[in-house]
Amino acid sequence: MLTAEASYHAPYDHCTVKYLQQAGVKPSVIRLADVGIHGNSHVLMLEKNNRQIAGVIAGWLNKALPGKKAD
């Protein structure tokens, strides 16, 4: 779950995470504000700082998929 602080989903993204956990999934949660990226809305790849956000996603992929390299 990748959450931006100005997204209309932000107030209830934690509910989606809890639902997935109850279903037996172990979701990863990244709050962009927690990694120093502030003010983004829901459509992250249309934001002016989309490359910075893509870097966060690539970093998560590199950790989540050992042996693979996301550029």
Side-chain angles (χ1 to χ4, degrees):
M1 174 74 64
L2 183 65
T3 301
E5 62 189 355
S7 170
Y8 66 93
H9 281 263
Y12 58 83
D13 275 345
H14 69 280
C15 296
T16 304
V17 171
K18 287 289 187 188
Y19 172 80
L20 292 170
Q21 289 170 337
Q22 289 174 4
V25 178
K26 295 179 182 175
S28 296
V29 178
I30 301 171
R31 292 174 184 83
L32 290 177
D34 292 346
V35 295
I37 301 174
H38 298 281
N40 293 102
S41 68
H42 181 66
V43 187
L44 300 172
M45 292 300 107
L46 296 181
E47 300 281 0
K48 290 182 180 179
N49 63 342
N50 62 33
R51 287 181 184 235
Q52 186 180 13
I53 295 166
V56 171
I57 295 168
W60 174 81
L61 285 170
N62 287 334
K63 289 179 187 173
L65 304 172
K68 307 286 184 184
K69 183 73 174 163
D71 293 324

